[in-house]
Amino acid sequence: MNIDQLKVVAQQIVAPQKGVLAADESSPTIKKRFDSINLESTEEHRRRYRELLFTTEGIEQYVGGVILFDETLRQTTRDGTPFPELLSRRGIVPGIKVDKGAKPLAQYPGERVTEGLDGLRDRLAEYRQLGAKFAKWRAVIDIDEDDIPSQFGVVANAHALARYAALCQEADIVPIVEPEVLMDGGHDIARCEVVTSNVLEEVFTQLDAHRVVFDGILLKPNMVIAGKKCPRQASVEEVAEATMRCLNRYVPAAVPGIVFLSGGQSAEDATDHLNAMNTMGVHPWQVSFSYGRALQAPVLAAWKGQEASFAEAQKAFFKRCKLNGLARDGVYEREMEAA
Ligand code: 13P
């Protein structure tokens, strides 16, 4: 393990103005996204869509890393340049989703645990050869208003995250550690804070026990936010304050960066929340984004699978990258959305 190299890569991904594009939708997930624009999920459509994203001019100013799915890591542009090579040439670090999805946790109805550890050491070696310098593993923490998640479910997910992270560091790949407390449901922001706190505490306990070096990871948490069905939605300031309070308590200062997931927030809300956190003063870690839907929803809506809309869709993508790049430095304003 070369810890200096891991640190350099982690810092490069969250350099000033920069964050991560999560474009690692698995085949079933990208099918859902394409369904929303009535586009068939063929391999060529998936390739063309990723090409649209990765060739957008100017995004390298705001995008430090892109997370790819296995299929995409092996695809090329129309002129035959492998996607990881295209990204690296533009100064964007290529990464890879390595988990195999969240499956029901036996004996714990309503909870899930992420699979994908078996054979991971060999897969990481191959991904490294294909150009991936960082990886992602998503743990899904289901939440309700009373007894989900169980402590057992939290520990099972944290343990798997830590095993994954240790294997990544062994292979000189920066692990993005993603424990996602879902936004689904009617729970309020206080309940989200309690659960997120517990999850982060357990995740760092497990990372430490697995001898993961904190300087060589990135954390990808949810924001502390009320469930989508909660009648009382918290203000932007409340979300920013609760999230920062939680992270300050549980995330060691050695971690180079926190890159939030958007989790189903609107593109504008995700940007606004990130901005508010970055206006709250200097934090021990970089506070940035690793958005999937919040970067891509407007792009898909503009593209709709039509070649004629390719340039328009790239414009929409550049706009979201830029606004999140500004929010990541705390200089975004909601009025900029109209420009
Ligand atoms: P969203 O920003 O759409 O939540 O996706 C981020 C991600 O990579 C989830 O694993």
Side-chain angles (χ1 to χ4, degrees):
M1 178 174 85
N2 183 340
I3 183 62
D4 290 333
Q5 192 187 316
L6 291 174
K7 274 193 219 172
V8 167
V9 171
Q11 285 164 359
Q12 191 184 346
I13 295 170
V14 291
Q17 291 197 311
K18 293 185 187 180
V20 176
L21 162 67
D24 60 326
E25 296 83 1
S26 62
S27 302
T29 304
I30 196 73
K31 183 180 177 310
K32 261 197 265 170
R33 305 280 184 264
F34 282 2
D35 282 349
S36 73
I37 55 165
N38 289 319
L39 181 69
E40 195 189 342
S41 181
T42 63
E43 186 180 344
E44 173 54 18
H45 285 157
R46 294 192 293 271
R47 193 204 62 75
R48 187 66 177 146
Y49 175 58
R50 269 65 183 249
E51 183 168 36
L52 182 161
L53 297 173
F54 308 158
T55 59
T56 298
E57 239 173 82
I59 57 159
E60 62 277 7
Q61 201 181 333
Y62 308 110
V63 177
V66 175
I67 318 172
L68 306 166
F69 184 57
D70 183 282
E71 176 187 86
T72 321
L73 190 73
R74 302 167 197 276
Q75 286 175 324
T76 68
T77 57
R78 262 186 184 167
D79 66 12
T81 310
F83 282 143
E85 191 183 317
L86 168 82
L87 292 168
S88 296
R89 269 201 227 146
R90 302 188 65 185
I92 299 173
V93 185
I96 177 77
K97 168 194 177 76
V98 301
D99 68 72
K100 298 220 163 176
K103 306 285 157 58
L105 179 62
Q107 310 293 0
Y108 283 82
E111 295 187 68
R112 286 175 279 178
V113 69
T114 301
E115 295 188 346
L117 288 169
D118 287 356
L120 182 56
R121 178 177 274 126
D122 295 340
R123 287 200 289 132
L124 288 170
E126 192 201 0
Y127 288 146
R128 176 90 217 179
Q129 288 240 307
L130 289 167
K133 293 205 177 129
F134 73 101
K136 179 190 109 170
W137 177 287
R138 173 175 179 248
V140 177
I141 309 294
D142 293 282
I143 175 171
D144 70 8
E145 284 152 75
D146 12 73
D147 53 3
I148 287 181
S150 65
Q151 195 57 32
F152 182 83
V154 171
V155 174
N157 275 291
H159 190 268
L161 270 171
R163 278 193 63 200
Y164 140 82
L167 282 162
C168 284
Q169 290 196 333
E170 179 193 86
D172 287 329
I173 288 179
V174 172
I176 291 194
V177 173
E178 179 180 9
E180 175 176 5
V181 178
L182 294 181
M183 262 177 80
D184 303 330
H187 58 278
D188 61 12
I189 187 171
R191 171 80 180 141
C192 181
E193 184 169 353
V194 168
V195 171
T196 305
S197 298
N198 180 27
V199 167
L200 291 177
E201 184 173 24
E202 191 57 39
V203 164
F204 282 97
T205 300
Q206 291 290 343
L207 289 172
D208 191 38
H210 285 74
R211 301 185 175 166
V212 171
V213 181
F214 296 159
D215 313 54
I217 70 166
L218 293 170
L219 178 72
K220 177 164 174 166
N222 53 285
M223 294 181 195
V224 174
I225 204 164
K228 277 185 214 151
K229 291 194 193 131
C230 179
R232 206 188 87 69
Q233 290 296 313
S235 67
V236 171
E237 289 68 33
E238 279 176 291
V239 170
E241 274 166 26
T243 305
M244 280 299 125
R245 183 166 59 233
C246 185
L247 294 174
N248 272 309
R249 282 185 185 147
Y250 297 103
V251 183
V255 173
I258 288 172
V259 287
F260 288 103
L261 57 94
S262 59
Q265 301 175 52
S266 72
E268 293 82 3
D269 283 353
T271 308
D272 222 352
H273 287 145
L274 178 64
N275 186 67
M277 288 185 255
N278 276 304
T279 57
M280 290 171 65
V282 180
H283 303 297
W285 356 257
Q286 300 299 315
V287 174
S288 189
F289 59 91
S290 175
Y291 294 159
R293 283 161 287 179
L295 280 171
Q296 295 185 55
V299 187
L300 281 169
W303 181 48
K304 294 198 178 68
Q306 311 280 322
E307 276 306 304
S309 311
F310 197 85
E312 200 55 37
Q314 287 195 323
K315 224 170 109 189
F317 182 49
F318 178 79
K319 176 177 173 184
R320 286 265 56 90
C321 291
K322 180 175 176 180
L323 294 183
N324 283 301
L326 296 176
R328 180 242 174 288
D329 288 350
V331 292
Y332 161 84
E333 284 162 33
R334 197 93 181 195
E335 295 71 49
M336 293 171 178
E337 295 290 347

